[in-house]
Amino acid sequence: MSLDWIYYAISWILLTWHSAWDAIGVPVDAVIGTNFAWILAIVFLVVTVRVILFPIFVKQIKSQRAMQALQPKVKELQEKHKGDRETLQKEMMELYRKEKANPLMGCLPMFLQIPVFLGLFHVLRRLDPAKQAKTLYGWSVEQFDSASSAKLFTAPIAGKFGSTADELARLGANGTTVKIIAGVLVLVMMGTTYLTSRQMILKTGWAEDPQQRMIQRLMLYGIPLSLLISGAIFPIGVIIYWVTNNLFTLGQQQWVLRKYPPPATATSKATSGARNPVQPAKTGALFGRKPAPQPPAKATAPKVAAPKPGAKPVNPKKGRPAKRRG
C-alpha cells in the first residue's frame, strides 16, 4: 500500500504554514542559529492534527469513564468465571457491547497519529541536498533548499543524533552540536511522554482489569524508555514535533479531565461517608512533639431550678437551726 498520500498531506500542511509565517514577517534567515519559520511550521503541524483529532480525543475520555464505571461488574465476572478464560472474554465483550464501552478507544488517538509521525519522519529524512527528486510531494526546489538548510540552534532539523559523517557534511552541520541538541531534545521527549501518561493515570486511576493495568504500565514506563534508543534515529524536526505534541496533550488532557471528571468510586464514597469519625491528632504530635497541655476547664456552679408557677417562694433562712446564745 502506497503512503504517498500521507507524504503529500504532511508536505502540504508544512509548506502552507511556512508560507503563512513568511507572509506574516517571521524571519526566513536564521536568528540565534534558528530558522523560526520552519520550526513554527512543524509546531503548527501538531496544532492542525490535534484540532482534527479533538472530537476523537473527547470520545476517548468518555470511553475511559465508561470503562471505569464498569469495573465493579468486570470484577464480578472475573470472580464468577475464574479459571474459564474463554467464557470470561465472551461475557466481558458482551458487557462492553451492551454498555457501549470500547476498550480500544483509549489507544485510538495515538494510533491515528502514527501515520502523521511516519509521514513527517519520511519527509524530513529526504531533506538531503544530495537527493535529486527535490520537487517530490509538491515541493519546489527553493522550498526544498530552504528546508534542508533550516536549523535549530545551528543544528539542521533534518539531522539526528545518529547521523553519519557524510550526512552531516552534506547538511553542513557540526557533529558535536547536532548530538548535543538532539540528545537534549530526546531527554525532553522522554520526560514529556512520561508526564502525559502519568497525568492521565493520576486523574483516572489504575485500572482494575489486569490487561488494562498492563497497558497503563507499558504507556507509563515502556514507551519513554524505548525512546532513549529509538530517539537516536529521529530527525531533530521529528523530535520537535513529538515534544510539541506532548505539551499540547498535557494542556488538552487537563482541560478535558476538568470538563469530564472521573466518576466517584465506591471507595471514595465510603471514605467521604465516614469522614472524621475520630478527632484528628494535634499537628505537633505528627512531628514527634508532645501537644501543649490544655488549661483545666473552669468549674461551673450547678444551676438551680426555677420555682414552678404558683408555688410559694422558699425562704432559704427558714429551716436553719437557731444559733445558741452563750
Side-chain angles (χ1 to χ4, degrees):
M1 180 182 175
S2 176
L3 297 178
D4 283 357
W5 67 274
I6 295 177
Y7 307 147
Y8 274 102
I10 298 300
S11 297
W12 182 82
I13 295 172
L14 279 176
L15 295 174
T16 300
W17 278 114
H18 180 264
S19 300
W21 294 118
D22 187 18
I24 291 172
V26 174
V28 177
D29 297 330
V31 177
I32 323 176
T34 303
N35 297 90
F36 285 101
W38 283 111
I39 301 300
L40 288 173
I42 295 174
V43 169
F44 276 79
L45 169 64
V46 176
V47 175
T48 303
V49 172
R50 295 310 295 265
V51 168
I52 294 172
L53 295 181
F54 183 75
I56 298 175
F57 183 80
V58 173
K59 287 183 179 180
Q60 174 199 17
I61 297 295
K62 290 182 176 179
S63 178
Q64 288 176 337
R65 296 293 178 269
M67 293 293 295
Q68 283 181 304
L70 290 177
Q71 287 308 310
K73 293 183 179 180
V74 170
K75 220 168 185 180
E76 289 178 9
L77 290 176
Q78 289 172 343
E79 292 293 329
K80 181 179 178 181
H81 301 290
K82 189 179 293 184
D84 189 353
R85 190 172 186 83
E86 185 177 352
T87 305
L88 175 61
Q89 290 296 331
K90 287 181 180 179
E91 292 288 338
M92 288 179 63
M93 289 299 104
E94 178 62 23
L95 176 64
Y96 293 151
R97 185 194 64 78
K98 183 179 177 181
E99 299 294 336
K100 298 180 180 179
N102 188 353
L104 300 178
M105 182 59 73
C107 302
L108 184 59
M110 183 183 69
F111 287 141
L112 290 177
Q113 290 184 75
I114 291 176
V116 179
F117 173 80
L118 294 176
L120 181 63
F121 181 83
H122 177 82
V123 168
L124 292 181
R125 279 193 64 186
R126 61 174 291 275
L127 290 179
D128 187 337
K131 301 283 185 182
Q132 297 299 320
K134 295 184 177 183
T135 57
L136 193 63
Y137 309 134
W139 293 66
S140 67
V141 175
E142 182 183 1
Q143 289 169 332
F144 182 93
D145 291 338
S146 175
S148 62
S149 61
K151 294 178 175 61
L152 174 67
F153 301 121
T154 71
I157 62 173
K160 52 186 180 292
F161 189 90
S163 291
T164 64
D166 290 341
E167 291 173 339
L168 292 172
R170 290 197 297 270
L171 292 171
N174 179 278
T176 303
T177 302
V178 170
K179 280 181 169 52
I180 291 173
I181 298 298
V184 170
L185 285 174
V186 167
L187 293 177
V188 175
M189 176 173 63
M190 292 173 62
T192 52
T193 300
Y194 170 80
L195 288 176
T196 55
S197 298
R198 183 174 178 269
Q199 181 192 49
M200 181 64 74
I201 292 172
L202 286 178
K203 291 288 185 181
T204 60
W206 288 95
E208 295 287 342
D209 181 45
Q211 292 181 346
Q212 293 291 323
R213 184 181 286 260
M214 183 179 67
I215 293 174
Q216 286 179 321
R217 290 189 183 279
L218 176 64
M219 297 286 290
L220 185 62
Y221 302 112
I223 293 180
L225 289 175
S226 69
L227 294 175
L228 185 62
I229 299 172
S230 59
I233 66 171
F234 292 165
I236 287 175
V238 170
I239 304 177
I240 293 172
Y241 172 89
W242 193 304
V243 171
T244 305
N245 186 63
N246 286 343
L247 295 175
F248 197 98
T249 300
L250 285 170
Q252 186 172 267
Q253 283 183 171
Q254 185 67 21
W255 181 84
V256 173
L257 289 170
R258 281 184 179 179
K259 188 173 179 63
Y260 302 99
T265 60
T267 305
S268 63
K269 287 180 181 178
T271 306
S272 61
R275 188 172 295 168
N276 295 332
V278 181
Q279 290 295 329
K282 300 294 181 183
T283 307
L286 297 176
F287 299 93
R289 300 195 303 267
K290 293 182 179 180
Q294 299 294 324
K298 293 182 180 181
T300 56
K303 293 182 179 180
V304 180
K308 295 180 180 180
K312 293 182 179 181
V314 179
N315 188 354
K317 294 182 179 182
K318 196 174 182 179
R320 291 184 183 177
K323 293 183 179 180
R324 293 183 181 179
R325 295 181 180 179

